[in-house]
Amino acid sequence: MTDDFDDPDLAAALRNIAGPVPSVDAALPVFHRRVRVARIRRVSVAVSGAAAVALIAVGAVALTGNERGNSITPMDPSITLDTVADPSTGVGPSTTTTPTTTRVDDGDTGPSSGSGAGTAGESGSGGTASIPSSGSASTTVGDSDNPDDPDGSDDSSNADDSEDGHNEGSGNSRTTTTTGGRAVTKRCSSAGGSFTASHLIKNSVTNVSPAPGFSKTDQEIESEKITVVFGDNEVEYHVVARWTGESFSCSVGS
Amino acid sequence: MVGVDHHDWNAGTLRTDIESYFRAHYGRLVRALTLVGGSEEAAADAVQEAFVKAHQKWRTVSQYDDPVGWIRRVAINRLHDEHRRNTRKDRAVARLGAGETWTVDAPEASTSEPLAAALAGLPRQQRLAVALFYLEGLSVAETASALEISEGAVKFHLHQGRERLRGLLDEEWRP
């Protein structure tokens, strides 16, 4: 104690006010009990924290999975795109969009005797068709998610359906999506021409190759677009890519 | 001060260490803080809690030069927190117009005694300095460390507190 403030009388008086020193023996069990409680609390907090972290991790994984699914869904064309054009008459094509995802191109491209624009199927949603005056067919198909057609069948009335029709002209292009959005088999038949797949997700093209039995033609793959130029009468190409809203155009006779 | 073996960290040693400190310092610490807080129960709670925290961090705390100083500071801080909490309660009750406020700030045991009343009238920091210096027997430096203030401030508080208490003490001892 510093001499300047040393005051035994004051210290004694203060001790008198404060009373006796509390019993340690009585306090010790209380201390041990509090230590146990604190330990249990820490363990429970740690367990809760671990559970929370696990829950967050599971949630994150689930969200990531959903995100992937969401990124696929709008890109899933779920459509069958039939484009028939008759350049000999200069009349545009008919376009049918259907929400099917399983339709496989059977290659049945019969001759067409009809001319004139077909009727867009009523099951297609968001589809637009542009008819170039040069006789080339350019078809853009939008979102194929059609709630009106849950079974995915093509119930549209198409007067110029290439499945049934036939084409007397020299140009007949037909494109068909075959799988669920990431892969598409595109077939064009004409006396030369080209088809283009656009609106692709940038750099998402993983494969562009002629289907078995078809010869390789010139192809150009850009980051968001594929162009295949062919000189034979018919070409069928497999395209594996992802796209934001499918847009295929098949030009014939050029 | 109780010696600690810093190398043997099994549970038994830890228990013995902390118990030794507890036995050596608990009583004096509670008594000093009772003089500050006015309630032995509140003081005991603060000191117990400080020892529990020390137990949780004993491997670190025991490495300090003055583990008891750390425990003392934790106890004082806890007492401060309790005091602030009670002050807020008092103000809230007053705002609600209950008309009756309560506090644990004044010493309970002998508020009738002039010395106890004078002690209760000292500023809180001054009361702490007086209690730690005269009751716990800490030096000026140790008191400064416990209160986390400078030694000059401790001397100021001791001077002021002693002036006021000593006057009453002289009157009581006067024939």
Side-chain angles (χ1 to χ4, degrees):
Chain A
M1 207 176 279
T2 308
D3 291 336
D4 293 347
F5 303 102
D6 195 12
D7 193 335
D9 292 340
L10 182 58
L14 291 173
R15 275 196 296 273
N16 188 38
I17 292 173
V21 176
S23 166
V24 175
D25 292 333
L28 205 52
V30 177
F31 169 64
H32 287 313
R33 193 168 62 247
R34 291 177 83 141
V35 166
R36 277 198 302 275
V37 169
R39 188 179 295 139
I40 291 169
R41 193 179 300 142
R42 286 174 70 189
V43 169
S44 65
V45 166
V47 169
S48 303
V53 168
L55 203 61
I56 289 169
V58 169
V61 169
L63 280 175
T64 306
N66 283 341
E67 202 169 67
R68 285 182 187 144
N70 288 337
S71 69
I72 291 170
T73 302
M75 292 185 294
D76 187 348
S78 306
I79 60 167
T80 295
L81 171 64
D82 292 331
T83 305
V84 178
D86 188 351
S88 63
T89 60
V91 181
S94 67
T95 303
T96 302
T97 59
T98 64
T100 181
T101 59
T102 56
R103 183 171 178 178
V104 179
D105 181 15
D106 56 8
D108 180 13
T109 307
S112 171
S113 60
S115 66
T119 306
E122 54 186 333
S123 63
S125 60
T128 60
S130 60
I131 307 168
S133 58
S134 64
S136 65
S138 175
T139 305
T140 304
V141 180
D143 187 3
S144 62
D145 187 11
N146 184 1
D148 296 333
D149 192 7
D151 61 359
S153 63
D154 182 2
D155 57 358
S156 61
S157 61
N158 185 357
D160 201 7
D161 189 351
S162 62
E163 289 280 336
D164 304 320
H166 49 280
N167 186 0
E168 293 177 350
S170 60
N172 177 19
S173 67
R174 172 190 170 88
T175 62
T176 305
T177 58
T178 56
T179 57
R182 292 189 178 182
V184 62
T185 299
K186 185 169 181 62
R187 183 173 183 181
C188 287
S189 63
S190 73
S194 67
F195 70 79
T196 303
S198 59
H199 292 87
L200 302 175
I201 290 179
K202 200 170 184 178
N203 300 323
S204 69
V205 178
T206 56
N207 182 44
V208 178
S209 60
F214 292 90
S215 58
K216 182 173 173 56
T217 58
D218 290 337
Q219 63 189 39
E220 186 179 356
I221 304 171
E222 299 173 39
S223 64
E224 298 172 2
K225 186 178 174 184
I226 300 167
T227 304
V228 174
V229 180
F230 57 98
D232 298 333
N233 288 336
E234 193 174 54
V235 70
E236 185 171 298
Y237 250 67
H238 291 308
V239 178
V240 180
R242 296 192 300 160
W243 49 88
T244 56
E246 186 188 9
S247 177
F248 286 114
S249 62
C250 190
S251 301
V252 296
S254 57
Chain B
M1 190 160 295
V2 179
V4 181
D5 179 5
H6 297 308
H7 303 290
D8 188 1
W9 284 117
N10 59 57
T13 305
L14 176 65
R15 186 185 172 100
T16 306
D17 281 345
I18 197 76
E19 269 192 25
S20 302
Y21 276 97
F22 191 88
R23 287 182 182 279
H25 299 280
Y26 173 80
R28 284 196 308 164
L29 205 48
V30 169
R31 196 170 59 161
L33 294 187
T34 300
L35 207 60
V36 176
S39 162
E40 185 179 327
E41 190 182 343
D45 185 63
V47 175
Q48 287 260 6
E49 197 60 32
F51 270 101
V52 170
K53 283 191 184 300
H55 182 272
Q56 290 172 348
K57 303 178 177 179
W58 189 242
R59 291 176 190 225
T60 304
V61 173
S62 63
Q63 306 290 327
Y64 295 156
D65 292 338
D66 183 14
V68 177
W70 185 88
I71 294 169
R72 188 183 296 116
R73 273 200 304 277
V74 172
I76 290 170
N77 288 339
R78 186 169 175 84
L79 207 61
H80 280 324
D81 292 343
E82 185 69 21
H83 171 70
R84 278 193 287 268
R85 202 173 298 126
N86 287 332
T87 303
R88 279 198 296 271
K89 279 182 189 173
D90 286 348
R91 287 176 184 162
V93 170
R95 274 201 303 273
L96 290 172
E100 184 181 353
T101 59
W102 50 273
T103 179
V104 295
D105 203 22
E108 287 174 344
S110 52
T111 46
S112 58
E113 294 180 16
L115 189 63
L119 184 69
L122 293 180
R124 189 174 179 82
Q125 193 81 323
Q126 212 165 86
R127 204 156 66 230
L128 256 173
V130 168
L132 293 177
F133 185 83
Y134 289 110
L135 214 55
E136 262 245 84
L138 302 185
S139 67
V140 170
E142 287 170 335
T143 304
S145 172
L147 299 181
E148 295 177 304
I149 58 177
S150 68
E151 291 188 24
V154 171
K155 287 177 182 175
F156 170 78
H157 285 312
L158 289 178
H159 177 74
Q160 293 284 320
R162 189 178 172 217
E163 283 290 309
R164 292 178 64 172
L165 298 177
R166 187 73 216 184
L168 290 169
L169 205 60
D170 289 343
E171 285 179 13
E172 283 186 10
W173 285 78
R174 199 173 294 155

